[in-house]
């Protein structure tokens, strides 16, 4: 597992770790059941605080991407992909609701909105 963090980035270090681990899980670089580096070893390799890595791992566990087994470590969760897709669908629904409200307020009919969505979706 490769993780890179930067103190110059606008995102906090724990969020950088969290995002990179999520990405590696979703693109198949990290597979279900695979062990993650220990909190101490990752903190040491990144030259950051153990508490920072702990926060990232805690958030990943809350999100359902990893599971922690006492005395054994942290592992990629088997249920992470379905959970992630559900999370993404909720975000998309929120954006759709905003677009629908704007379309209604502007008098744009449903068929025009659907055509626009189709055009944008199929665009390269």
């Amino acid at each position: 597992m490769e993780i890179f963090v930067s103190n110059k980035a606008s995102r906090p270090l724990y969020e950088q770790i969290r995002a990179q681990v999520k990405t590696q899980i979703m693109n198949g670089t990290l597979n279900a059941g695979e062990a993650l580096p220990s909190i101490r070893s990752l903190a040491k390799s990144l030259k950051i605080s153990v508490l920072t890595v702990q926060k990232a791992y805690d958030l990943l566990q809350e999100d359902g991407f990893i599971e922690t087994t006492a005395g054994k470590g942290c592992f990629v969760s088997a249920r992470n992909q379905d959970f992630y897709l559900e999370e993404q669908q909720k975000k998309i629904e929120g954006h759709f609701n905003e677009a629908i409200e704007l379309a209604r307020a502007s008098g744009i009919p449903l068929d025009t909105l659907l055509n626009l969505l189709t055009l944008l979706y199929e665009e390269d």
Side-chain angles (χ1 to χ4, degrees):
M1 178 174 91
E2 290 188 28
I3 300 288
F4 302 98
V5 294
S6 170
N7 288 325
K8 296 176 184 175
S10 62
R11 296 172 86 181
L13 294 173
Y14 71 88
E15 189 57 45
Q16 293 176 47
I17 295 167
R18 179 185 185 197
Q20 289 178 55
V21 171
K22 270 186 178 182
T23 299
Q24 290 183 37
I25 291 170
M26 293 313 301
N27 70 18
T29 304
L30 294 172
N31 297 307
E34 191 170 335
L36 298 178
S38 73
I39 291 169
R40 288 179 193 230
S41 69
L42 185 56
K44 185 176 180 180
S45 70
L46 296 175
K47 297 180 177 133
I48 60 174
S49 167
V50 172
L51 296 174
T52 301
V53 177
Q54 176 70 53
K55 185 169 186 176
Y57 278 20
D58 286 346
L59 292 171
L60 286 163
Q61 185 167 340
E62 284 177 26
D63 291 345
F65 284 92
I66 66 171
E67 298 170 351
T68 303
T69 305
K72 294 189 177 183
C74 297
F75 300 87
V76 176
S77 174
R79 62 185 176 100
N80 57 58
Q81 189 159 10
D82 291 338
F83 188 85
Y84 180 77
L85 291 175
E86 180 66 26
E87 182 181 281
Q88 294 304 96
Q89 286 177 356
K90 285 180 187 177
K91 287 180 186 176
I92 292 168
E93 285 177 24
H95 291 294
F96 279 167
N97 284 330
E98 289 177 27
I100 290 166
E101 287 176 26
L102 184 58
R104 285 181 179 152
S106 303
I108 297 172
L110 177 59
D111 60 332
T112 303
L113 189 60
L114 289 171
N115 288 337
L116 179 59
L117 176 62
T118 302
L119 180 68
L120 293 172
Y121 189 84
E122 292 174 350
E123 208 173 65
D124 288 335

